[in-house]
């Protein structure tokens, strides 16, 4: 593959599809004993794009899941999508199903002149447990609007409508919209796509490497003001709750660290990038969020972020009889100060 990239160099070959060589990234410590081990991979990039730290396998093909949404949103802006602010953040969101998210998705559809029944994402209940509980108690059925990717799908319909593209098949990988998104995924990651499959919501999902995801995150946050990439980063940082939810760890992380852009994805994926190009990307092999959060925080500390800003992201404590008896801790490979013993 030698197609030129917007960033001045030819695309690298697609990452190899293989069993990832993950390494231990977090220990589950209870009462001073390592009770469990979470494996995964971590990439930490310096501001100049060089790899400052790598753990596990950052070059194997993997699926970034919803962490790819900022790239999808940037592609839609390049194709003419006229959103900014809250609605653009929602277009890049894995939202919680709060009323603000539903109202925003309705607004995007209204701007597009497209009815809700043209959405092709999978009907679901709200992602946030508290919101879902209320939804179920009220007897409301699963809804395409409540599903966490509805903002992205509404934006896809809007982009297709503006370009005169067909609506019924907007999720087909051969559709002009999805072809445009694939091109931007390759451009921002700097590598060819290894494989295309279908994400949980029904949209095409592109396999890249963890290194490629970190590189894309850095490129989005260092993009020139006013570019599609910079507009996405600004919208998500300024409206973090629209990109996730009011109680979500990703929104809290962006609020805690000025200028940080972060996005998570199912199966233990997360990236976080600073405006100067420093970036991290994390994949937890078993998909556990309890490891994703402290590992991402530790990677950001290795990236140079003040550890004091990360104290709220050390992970959920483990309880025994109502008392704290342990925690999930990054391994010494990621955090040299992490002890192996203790509670």
């Amino acid at each position: 593959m030698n197609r030129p990239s917007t960033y001045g160099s030819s695309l690298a070959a697609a990452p190899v599809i293989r069993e990832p060589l993950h390494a231990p990234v977090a220990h589950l410590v209870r009462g001073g004993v390592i009770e469990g081990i979470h494996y995964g991979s971590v990439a930490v990039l310096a501001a100049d794009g060089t790899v400052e730290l790598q753990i596990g396998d950052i070059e194997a093909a993997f699926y970034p899941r919803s962490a790819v949404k900022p790239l999808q949103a940037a592609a839609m802006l390049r194709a003419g999508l006229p959103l900014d602010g809250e609605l653009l953040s929602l277009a890049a969101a894995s939202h919680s199903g709060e009323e603000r998210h539903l109202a925003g998705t309705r607004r995007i559809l209204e701007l597009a002149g497209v009815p809700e029944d043209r959405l092709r994402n999978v009907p679901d209940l709200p992602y946030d447990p508290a919101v879902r509980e209320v939804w179920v108690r009220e007897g409301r059925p699963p809804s395409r609007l409540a599903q966490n990717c509805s903002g992205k799908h509404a934006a896809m319909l809007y982009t297709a409508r503006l370009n005169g593209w067909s609506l019924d098949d907007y999720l087909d990988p051969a559709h002009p919209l999805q072809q445009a998104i694939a091109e931007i995924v390759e451009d921002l990651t700097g590598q060819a796509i290894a494989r295309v499959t279908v994400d949980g919501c029904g949209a095409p999902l592109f396999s890249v490497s963890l290194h490629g995801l970190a590189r894309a995150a850095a490129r989005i946050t260092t993009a020139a003001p006013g570019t599609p990439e910079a507009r996405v980063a600004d919208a998500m940082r300024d409206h973090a709750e629209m990109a996730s939810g009011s109680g979500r760890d990703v929104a809290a992380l962006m609020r805690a660290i000025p200028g940080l852009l972060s996005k998570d994805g199912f199966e233990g994926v997360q990236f976080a990038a600073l405006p100067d190009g420093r970036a991290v990307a994390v994949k937890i092999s078993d998909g556990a969020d309890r490891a994703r959060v402290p590992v991402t925080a530790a990677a950001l500390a290795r990236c140079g972020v003040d550890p004091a800003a990360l104290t709220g992201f050390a992970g959920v404590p483990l309880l025994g009889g109502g008392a704290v008896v342990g925690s999930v801790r990054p391994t010494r490979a990621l955090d040299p100060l992490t002890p192996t013993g203790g509670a």
Side-chain angles (χ1 to χ4, degrees):
M1 166 66 73
N2 57 9
R3 180 173 66 77
S5 164
T6 298
Y7 290 88
S9 61
S10 297
L11 294 177
V16 176
I17 298 172
R18 63 177 180 233
E19 181 178 348
L21 303 174
H22 291 307
V25 292
H27 289 155
L28 175 66
V29 180
R30 181 183 296 271
V33 173
I34 296 175
E35 186 176 32
I37 301 174
H38 290 287
Y39 285 73
S41 295
V42 179
V44 177
L45 304 187
D48 63 1
T50 58
V51 177
E52 197 163 83
L53 174 70
Q54 67 179 76
I55 297 174
D57 195 343
I58 69 170
E59 304 296 351
F62 92 119
Y63 291 117
R65 302 301 298 270
S66 284
V68 80
K69 285 178 179 175
L71 284 67
Q72 293 170 315
M76 289 188 275
L77 291 183
R78 289 195 195 185
L81 181 68
L83 297 180
D84 279 297
E86 288 188 349
L87 295 184
L88 177 54
S89 184
L90 183 61
S94 299
H95 66 70
S96 292
E98 300 166 27
E99 283 303 321
R100 74 175 91 187
H101 302 130
L102 276 59
T105 301
R106 292 190 190 98
R107 179 58 180 157
I108 295 173
L109 291 171
E110 181 182 288
L111 290 169
V114 175
E116 183 182 329
D117 63 9
R118 302 303 290 272
L119 291 169
R120 291 292 178 266
N121 57 319
V122 178
D124 202 354
L125 299 173
Y127 179 75
D128 182 89
V131 178
R132 183 168 60 245
E133 181 180 348
V134 172
W135 188 283
V136 171
R137 192 163 59 241
E138 292 175 348
R140 301 167 74 177
S143 160
R144 296 186 195 275
L145 206 63
Q147 197 268 337
N148 76 90
C149 302
S150 64
K152 176 184 77 174
H153 282 256
M156 286 181 170
L157 285 168
Y158 195 0
T159 306
R161 169 59 62 85
L162 288 169
N163 284 277
W165 298 330
S166 57
L167 302 184
D168 289 342
D169 61 342
Y170 75 92
L171 295 182
D172 188 328
H175 190 280
L177 170 65
Q178 301 303 336
Q179 290 290 298
I181 290 173
E183 182 176 338
I184 272 48
V185 169
E186 291 188 331
D187 188 26
L188 292 176
T189 62
Q191 62 188 167
I193 291 166
R195 183 163 294 177
V196 181
T197 188
V198 181
D199 208 344
C201 67
L205 179 62
F206 308 105
S207 182
V208 292
S209 70
L210 196 66
H211 187 183
L213 178 64
R215 187 163 46 232
R219 287 174 170 176
I220 290 173
T221 59
T222 58
T227 60
E229 293 83 0
R231 287 167 59 193
V232 171
D234 288 343
M236 293 179 68
R237 288 184 294 223
D238 292 344
H239 305 280
E241 289 79 7
M242 289 297 282
S244 54
S246 57
R248 300 273 289 283
D249 59 80
V250 178
L253 188 64
M254 286 195 278
R255 289 194 301 266
I257 303 170
L260 185 78
L261 176 70
S262 189
K263 182 72 185 75
D264 58 344
F266 278 151
E267 297 305 321
V269 178
Q270 186 163 348
F271 77 71
L274 293 155
D276 64 0
R278 289 175 291 160
V280 307
V282 169
K283 164 63 182 176
I284 306 300
S285 65
D286 61 1
D289 275 350
R290 71 179 184 182
R292 171 184 60 81
V293 177
V295 167
T296 299
L300 282 170
R302 289 294 296 265
C303 196
V305 173
D306 183 358
L310 299 165
T311 55
F313 306 94
V316 178
L318 300 179
L319 302 180
V324 175
V325 296
S327 62
V328 177
R329 300 175 180 170
T331 60
R332 284 182 174 173
L334 184 59
D335 180 4
L337 299 179
T338 296
T340 55

